[in-house]
Amino acid sequence: MPIYRLLRKLPMGSDEISRLTTAYEKTLHTIGLVDRNDPLAEIIAKKIIEIAQTGVRDPAKLSTLAIKELELLRRVKNPAIHRNE
């Protein structure tokens, strides 16, 4: 699982690791991503860690923010997809 590999490199306690993995799993579940080897799973893991480093600690909030930021990136990279919205 990408998040565990990334977290091993960071100095974090077990409570913080638990919060981040909970947020990661919630995010994957919410977007319906089952394949943990999908490159998107690693992007999500990195985004969760990045947001947590800003001070956000609640797993549900981390998940929500990660999904919002990833949606924003998708819209920027593919503006034609959302022209008619």
Side-chain angles (χ1 to χ4, degrees):
M1 185 178 300
I3 198 154
Y4 291 118
R5 184 174 37 78
L6 295 169
L7 291 175
R8 279 188 292 186
K9 300 174 185 177
L10 301 172
M12 294 185 177
S14 61
D15 286 346
E16 192 168 5
I17 289 171
S18 178
R19 282 192 296 274
L20 295 180
T21 55
T22 299
Y24 174 74
E25 289 296 332
K26 178 173 177 42
T27 304
L28 295 181
H29 177 76
T30 299
I31 67 168
L33 184 62
V34 177
D35 182 4
R36 301 309 193 251
N37 293 316
D38 186 308
L40 183 56
E42 183 163 348
I43 293 168
I44 291 168
K46 288 178 179 179
K47 184 56 67 178
I48 296 271
I49 292 168
E50 177 186 314
I51 295 167
Q53 289 173 336
T54 69
V56 179
R57 301 180 67 74
D58 177 57
K61 185 73 172 175
L62 285 166
S63 177
T64 300
L65 291 172
I67 291 168
K68 284 182 182 178
E69 287 193 30
L70 292 167
E71 176 63 22
L72 206 96
L73 287 174
R74 187 173 71 92
R75 287 178 183 238
V76 169
K77 288 184 179 181
N78 301 304
I81 294 173
H82 302 284
R83 281 197 186 131
N84 296 324
E85 289 185 1

